[in-house]
Amino acid sequence: MTKEYSIGQMSRRTGVKVTTIRYYESRGLIPSPGRTQGGQRRYDEAALERLAFLRHARELGFNLDDIAELMALAETPSEDCAPAYEIARKQLAAVDRRMTILAQLREELARMANADDPGHAGKCRVIEVLGDHRLCIGSHDLSDSRADLSGS
Amino acid sequence: MTKEYSIGQMSRRTGVKVTTIRYYESRGLIPSPGRTQGGQRRYDEAALERLAFLRHARELGFNLDDIAELMALAETPSEDCAPAYEIARKQLAAVDRRMTILAQLREELARMANADDPGHAGKCRVIEVLGDHRLCIGSHDLSDSRADLSGS
DNA sequence: CTTGAACCTACAGCCGCTGTAGATTGTATC
DNA sequence: GATACAATCTACAGCGGCTGTAGGTTCAAG
């Protein structure tokens, strides 16, 4: 009789929220587990490992499609590690791009936020800078220039 | 007779997409403009300035609620610049946090992606690392640890 | 048996967009 | 004026990755 976990236990052990675990199941990232007579999910050790893998990959910013691929690779012993490396390198490149952009944004924000002269004649420097679009950083292609800071 | 702009002209002049301009209008960030007899939007110079301000602020990662506040401040001449500074500093702090986290993520990814030994016995290093959650960076509170790289 | 936490599904929303179907308008050219 | 085509319109839905809640059931401890 192998050890079983409820969804709450899975959540507490991996740090992935219950609603998120259900979401991952709906996305096919984790298999639907067996159920109790009453309909409650019961997971095994393998499912726990899989969820932990998923969580770790999410932490590193891999998107769910790439994670699905990595998981498939993990379950298919193969001599070819190229696909996994491709995915990891792609993510590394994206992190590098993001870091470059954030550094630029930081400069402008620092200028704006740390101005000694907060403003004059009813016009704040923050507002002035934002109103002066010669100070815009990017081209009109904004897809990578926004300092999106959301965690999810 | 002041100069008028169609929504497409607004888009080309500011780099904000037509659908996004409509979205901003629905969110109340820009006022609904006058219309032609046929129902097409016609904007004035002031609207163009406002949209440019909005775009610049988005570029810097300010969220729409904060931008709405900044725009209200811009339109209300006041001696008090504290609210604008507060918003700017909050954003600066968020950028700093994100940069710190990205640096950490970068380290781990680099380790993973640049390994000289790509893997052995059918087990890739990338996969191994992801499966070893002792290498996780963060606590179980992931809200700021994900390397979200999306531009929007 | 009772109680209350944990669990279930269905549905909707967050944030900031973004696209598309089907229809109308505006403008340039003939 | 007629034609052609790009531009514009609204309504609706979707992206990515979650996240919450209403209303109901199950599980486990006392």
Side-chain angles (χ1 to χ4, degrees):
Chain A
M1 182 53 139
T2 62
K3 190 168 174 72
E4 289 196 327
Y5 302 98
S6 69
I7 196 168
Q9 285 166 330
M10 294 288 274
S11 174
R12 286 186 294 274
R13 284 170 176 268
T14 59
V16 181
K17 292 190 180 214
V18 165
T19 53
T20 307
I21 296 172
R22 289 198 199 103
Y23 171 69
Y24 289 155
E25 182 185 324
S26 74
R27 284 283 304 254
L29 289 162
I30 53 177
S32 297
R35 305 278 183 131
T36 62
Q37 194 81 307
Q40 297 193 0
R41 293 168 173 78
R42 287 295 179 266
Y43 298 92
D44 60 13
E45 203 70 50
L48 185 62
E49 300 266 343
R50 193 176 171 98
L51 187 57
F53 182 104
L54 177 46
R55 185 241 175 161
H56 190 183
R58 279 298 300 135
E59 267 191 337
L60 293 176
F62 292 102
N63 68 43
L64 297 183
D65 286 343
D66 284 344
I67 292 169
E69 203 176 328
L70 289 169
M71 286 205 269
L73 291 171
E75 283 164 6
T76 320
S78 158
E79 293 299 326
D80 185 18
C81 292
Y85 275 89
E86 181 60 35
I87 292 170
R89 287 210 191 90
K90 182 178 70 170
Q91 177 60 6
L92 181 57
V95 168
D96 282 338
R97 281 197 308 271
R98 172 64 31 199
M99 286 173 78
T100 301
I101 287 159
L102 284 184
Q104 294 175 337
L105 297 188
R106 195 195 182 287
E107 260 192 55
E108 192 177 348
L109 279 167
R111 237 183 279 134
M112 206 191 266
N114 296 333
D116 290 329
D117 178 14
H120 51 274
K123 194 79 191 248
C124 309
R125 177 146 179 78
V126 175
I127 305 287
E128 275 183 353
V129 171
L130 289 175
D132 186 349
H133 22 102
R134 285 167 307 176
L135 299 179
C136 287
I137 302 168
S139 67
H140 282 182
D141 172 17
L142 299 181
S143 59
D144 271 344
S145 64
R146 277 206 209 113
D148 179 34
L149 308 173
S150 69
S152 63
Chain B
M1 181 53 142
T2 61
K3 188 162 174 77
E4 290 197 329
Y5 302 97
S6 69
I7 195 167
Q9 285 166 330
M10 294 287 274
S11 175
R12 287 186 293 274
R13 283 168 176 269
T14 60
V16 181
K17 294 196 179 208
V18 166
T19 55
T20 307
I21 295 172
R22 290 198 199 100
Y23 171 68
Y24 290 154
E25 182 185 323
S26 76
R27 285 281 306 255
L29 289 162
I30 55 176
S32 297
R35 303 278 185 131
T36 61
Q37 193 82 305
Q40 296 193 3
R41 292 169 175 80
R42 288 296 180 265
Y43 299 92
D44 62 12
E45 202 72 49
L48 185 62
E49 301 266 343
R50 194 176 171 98
L51 187 57
F53 182 105
L54 177 47
R55 185 239 175 165
H56 191 182
R58 281 298 298 135
E59 265 192 340
L60 292 177
F62 292 103
N63 69 45
L64 295 184
D65 286 344
D66 283 345
I67 292 169
E69 202 176 329
L70 289 171
M71 285 203 270
L73 290 171
E75 283 164 4
T76 319
S78 159
E79 294 298 325
D80 186 17
C81 293
Y85 274 88
E86 182 60 34
I87 292 169
R89 286 212 191 87
K90 184 179 68 172
Q91 177 62 5
L92 180 58
V95 167
D96 282 339
R97 281 199 306 273
R98 171 65 34 199
M99 286 173 76
T100 300
I101 287 159
L102 284 183
Q104 294 176 340
L105 297 187
R106 196 195 181 288
E107 261 192 53
E108 193 178 348
L109 280 166
R111 237 184 280 135
M112 206 192 265
N114 296 334
D116 289 330
D117 178 15
H120 52 273
K123 193 76 189 249
C124 309
R125 178 150 177 76
V126 174
I127 305 286
E128 274 181 356
V129 171
L130 289 175
D132 185 352
H133 21 103
R134 283 168 306 176
L135 299 180
C136 288
I137 303 168
S139 66
H140 283 181
D141 172 18
L142 299 180
S143 60
D144 271 345
S145 63
R146 281 215 205 103
D148 180 36
L149 308 175
S150 69
S152 61

